[in-house]
Amino acid sequence: MKGHKMERLNQFYIDGKWVAPISDLKMPVINPATEEQVGMLALGNRKDVDYAVAAAKTAFESYSLSSKKMRINLLHKVKDITERRFEDLAQAMRVEMGAPITMSRDAQTDAALGHLKSFIDALENLQERVTLANGDVMVREPIGVCGLITPWNWPVNQIVLKVLPALATGCTCILKPSEHTPISAMMYAEILHEAGYPAGVFNLINGEGPIVGSAMSQHRDIQMMSFTGSVRGGTAVTRDAAETVKRVTLELGGKSPNLVFADCNLQKRVSDSVAECMYNTGQSCDAPTRLLVEKSCYEEVLKIAKQAADNMAIGNPEDEGPHIGPLFDKIQFDRVQTMIKLGIEEGAALLAGGLGKPAGYEVGWYVKPTIFFNVTNDMRIAREEIFGPVLVIIPFDDEAHAISIANDSLYGLAGYIQTGDPERAERVASKLRVGAVHINGSGIEYGTPFGGYKQSGNGREGGTMGLEDYQEIKTLHGLFR
């Protein structure tokens, strides 16, 4: 971060320029590993939103008419600059959210390029004008000015999943990143500026959800809101947007079930499942946080899971390696501690971890990798999203019982299946009410649509479907043929 223009945290990027906010609100930006302040962030208000929306609305008049070729060329420029700024982005997320640097490079920052390449491919193949079998013509057009609200847990990943499809389809946008992770967002604004997007096409405002987010959601000149975050935040955006009947896409929480059958490679699959739950310090919406285990192998799974948690490395985000870092903030640390305490009070048994910080980590928002067993699915720790390195283990009798427990949730973002039987994997996957099913440790590829069922949200991000969410359909009738 040394030498970077951190004073831009006191500015917004509006109409192609870094400008002073109208609001005089500010908040400190804290490094969660050291608890030290690394900067001060300006927080906007409704007038700042009005200014940004006006710029985006004006820019839409011409940018919405831009050719696909021009938009693809701009995306290629973004790719070149992102490759050059790759380490800057990785270090930014290390500082602002405590992502260990190896993971920050390999996953957090890699997403900036992986999603970009998939959007370029999707846009090249997207037919913006189609003649239907009946002779009518269907045209895909940009929906308009888009308000984009992104979270702190995968900052750049979520920015590119919203900003890039908006720009790729000819929309203009206002981004409100999480106020807790503003440094990587500031850098991404610099990347887009250098790429040469016309003034007003992309705008960046920092601020709090109830003020800036609400002003965006209610604004009559914004045609679409895309939000990633909590269910509470998503329902607030939806309510605020209802008055102007704008499109709303949501990517919300999860309490993803991970079904472990006795016929899988238990040592490998259970160890990897624990690691997957703890990855990003448990701060992923689709983390497999409910381990549902076939009773015939339950005791063996407990031994493997305990060993995996006890061996989980914790470390300084500055250090290379596969360790996990701190939670992003004291707010989250306190929430996770409250939920661990609640699990103990509910009568769940601790297999690993527990309350307090790990030994040797008195400074920073570090938590112990924690596993509860003898959990029932009606406990709050099995139903509520904890968003920390906390796993609950629940036994099941048979396949039908496992599916019943898995689907007994308000959420439906992801499901995980560990089995040595391909037919069972397919059969069980077809019955899980989730948007993605990961079989035997498989991950989601860039370009595959991402999203969930039920209270995990609506709409899909990534690839072709991610572009289509930012488009309206117009049909033409009676053209001369």
Side-chain angles (χ1 to χ4, degrees):
M1 307 307 301
K2 209 177 270 184
H4 194 79
K5 299 174 182 172
M6 295 291 279
E7 68 269 15
R8 283 187 173 163
L9 292 178
N10 281 305
Q11 299 175 313
F12 299 155
Y13 181 76
I14 299 176
D15 204 19
K17 302 179 292 290
W18 291 96
V19 299
I22 297 166
S23 166
D24 57 3
L25 294 172
K26 285 184 169 35
M27 69 171 269
V29 180
I30 306 294
N31 180 327
T34 64
E35 300 179 45
E36 294 172 351
Q37 181 176 316
V38 294
M40 284 295 290
L41 179 71
L43 302 174
N45 60 22
R46 283 183 174 269
K47 288 183 178 177
D48 289 301
V49 172
D50 287 341
Y51 180 28
V53 173
K57 183 181 178 183
T58 299
F60 182 75
E61 293 175 18
S62 56
Y63 187 69
S64 62
L65 303 175
S66 61
S67 68
K68 184 198 279 194
K69 183 180 179 183
M70 173 191 159
R71 286 176 269 127
I72 288 172
N73 286 341
L74 282 167
L75 291 174
H76 278 291
K77 289 179 183 174
V78 173
K79 177 177 170 289
D80 292 342
I81 300 162
T82 302
E83 287 171 347
R84 196 177 76 238
R85 298 289 305 271
F86 189 93
E87 186 65 15
D88 290 342
L89 290 169
Q91 294 292 348
M93 288 180 281
R94 172 188 66 78
V95 168
E96 65 192 1
M97 66 162 291
I101 190 59
T102 301
M103 178 263 194
S104 188
R105 292 186 188 115
D106 293 350
Q108 296 276 7
T109 312
D110 187 69
L113 290 171
H115 289 306
L116 173 52
K117 291 170 186 172
S118 78
F119 281 130
I120 291 172
D121 291 342
L123 182 56
E124 285 176 339
N125 293 313
L126 185 71
Q127 289 185 284
E128 295 181 332
R129 184 185 179 97
V130 178
T131 300
L132 303 177
N134 60 14
D136 286 345
V137 174
M138 184 182 80
V139 181
R140 293 186 181 277
E141 297 183 340
I143 192 169
V145 177
C146 302
L148 314 174
I149 301 178
T150 56
W152 49 262
N153 61 323
W154 286 89
V156 170
N157 181 77
Q158 290 307 128
I159 287 172
V160 298
L161 278 172
K162 297 186 192 302
V163 171
L164 292 181
L167 301 183
T169 53
C171 297
T172 59
C173 61
I174 300 95
L175 169 67
K176 190 204 89 64
S178 169
E179 61 272 29
H180 298 286
T181 50
I183 305 171
S184 55
M186 172 188 72
M187 289 180 179
Y188 206 74
E190 293 172 346
I191 289 169
L192 296 177
H193 178 82
E194 187 179 340
Y197 280 93
V201 168
F202 169 82
N203 305 275
L204 168 70
I205 293 186
N206 289 302
E208 297 174 308
I211 299 173
V212 171
S214 181
M216 289 166 63
S217 302
Q218 293 172 3
H219 208 291
R220 63 182 60 255
D221 289 331
I222 288 180
Q223 282 74 49
M224 173 185 176
M225 289 297 300
S226 180
F227 171 88
T228 296
S230 66
V231 172
R232 185 181 64 182
T235 53
V237 168
T238 305
R239 278 195 298 269
D240 283 341
E243 208 50 45
T244 49
V245 198
K246 54 173 60 75
R247 182 178 299 172
V248 176
T249 63
L250 304 171
E251 199 270 282
L252 306 176
K255 194 72 180 177
S256 298
N258 186 356
L259 286 62
V260 177
F261 292 95
D263 63 5
C264 75
N265 178 341
L266 286 175
Q267 184 66 47
K268 169 78 172 153
R269 296 272 45 92
V270 173
S271 297
D272 286 0
S273 291
V274 172
E276 179 78 11
C277 172
M278 308 297 176
Y279 194 67
N280 202 31
T281 318
Q283 300 170 122
S284 297
C285 48
D286 62 344
T289 50
R290 288 188 295 152
L291 196 72
L292 314 185
V293 179
E294 193 167 6
K295 281 184 178 173
S296 63
C297 62
Y298 186 71
E299 294 303 324
E300 188 177 353
V301 166
L302 293 184
K303 290 176 192 167
I304 298 167
K306 177 174 172 50
Q307 184 179 39
D310 289 344
N311 292 339
M312 179 76 50
I314 300 165
N316 188 327
E318 291 184 12
D319 297 336
E320 305 272 353
H323 52 272
I324 63 171
L327 293 170
F328 89 101
D329 190 85
K330 185 180 187 299
I331 305 166
Q332 194 62 19
F333 176 84
D334 290 342
R335 283 178 189 149
V336 171
Q337 295 297 306
T338 297
M339 291 302 292
I340 292 172
K341 184 169 181 285
L342 177 66
I344 295 167
E345 291 169 354
E346 286 185 300
L350 268 175
L351 185 68
L355 289 165
K357 294 183 178 183
Y361 289 93
E362 286 71 33
V363 175
W365 305 117
Y366 293 90
V367 293
K368 298 172 185 174
T370 296
I371 301 179
F372 286 101
F373 70 108
N374 289 352
V375 175
T376 56
N377 204 49
D378 58 351
M379 292 180 179
R380 282 181 61 189
I381 56 168
R383 303 199 72 76
E384 297 179 21
E385 190 172 37
I386 297 173
F387 234 58
V390 180
L391 176 67
V392 301
I393 302 182
I394 303 171
F396 66 80
D397 298 321
D398 54 24
E399 202 174 286
H401 189 210
I403 292 163
S404 172
I405 297 170
N407 287 334
D408 181 16
S409 173
L410 296 174
Y411 299 107
L413 190 53
Y416 299 72
I417 301 170
Q418 320 300 330
T419 179
D421 181 350
E423 289 183 6
R424 167 180 270 162
E426 185 92 32
R427 185 171 63 243
V428 172
S430 71
K431 294 177 181 175
L432 296 180
R433 301 289 294 164
V434 298
V437 180
H438 303 264
I439 298 164
N440 292 333
S442 59
I444 189 167
E445 300 293 333
Y446 294 125
T448 299
F450 180 84
Y453 289 26
K454 298 187 278 187
Q455 290 187 25
S456 287
N458 54 58
R460 291 294 181 270
E461 294 190 312
T464 302
M465 290 189 76
L467 296 180
E468 290 172 348
D469 270 356
Y470 290 80
Q471 294 180 310
E472 281 286 18
I473 299 295
K474 177 182 286 179
T475 56
L476 307 178
H477 316 275
L479 288 176
F480 292 108
R481 290 191 260 277

